[in-house]
Amino acid sequence: AAILLKLGGYGLIRISPMLNPHPPNLMFPIMILALWGILMTSSICLRQTDLKALIAYSSVSHMGLVTAAIIVQTPWGLTGAMTLMIAHGLTSSALFALANTNYERTHTRTLLLVRGLQLIFPLMSTWWLLTNLTNMAMPPTINLLGELFIISTLFNWSTPTIIITGIGTLITATYSLYMFLMTQRGSISTQFRILPPTHTREHLTLTLHLLPLGLLIMKPSLISGLFA
């Protein structure tokens, strides 16, 4: 999710200029599928019981925005697509790393079975909160800049797209909070009261994921393709 989806996005960026201007019979079906995919995959996240499946569908939802922005073929769209791909690559990788830390200790990915981990791992719960807020494009992360570029591009291309992108953003916030509440809040099961502690390498891994997301907003031209 963090690398292969971005290779697909890079391929779209390289190939799209060859088809410029896009023939309408090619552009509109892809655009419709990308926008509809944002809503469908976001909605699927709301009913997932498997933690890794939820994170994977979240990646597909974000890549729908990237595909739609690339198809429009404007400087803002390509800038937003590049920014969001890099930002989501770090965010998605951090979410999978967090899911793995849970799995290594509880040996299950089912959300209903593993709850209340904040009581046992308060620092890891902080990482969960920051990563989920980043996933829903919390300022001042670079995710927000990428999404704003893409939403502005699609709105300029066609005004009604603001409805789909707005609903998609709302559902993204909903399932991100749902993921955090299901894994961290509530009463923990009696079978999980004794769990091995977290390790320094795990916290270092998450720091190396989230620190660039916070620092890149100071100079977004490093990854956006803009010249400053």
Side-chain angles (χ1 to χ4, degrees), residues 26-36 67-69 71-72 154 157 161:
L26 175 67
M27 181 178 184
F28 289 117
I30 297 177
M31 183 64 73
I32 291 169
L33 287 174
L35 294 174
W36 188 243
T67 305
I71 291 297
V72 175
L154 295 177
W157 177 74
T161 57

Side-chain angles (χ1 to χ4, degrees), residues 49-51 103 106-115 182:
T49 57
D50 187 291
L51 183 57
Y103 182 76
T106 62
H107 303 290
T108 179
R109 299 197 303 261
T110 305
L111 291 171
L112 294 173
L113 296 179
V114 185
R115 303 189 68 177
M182 287 296 289

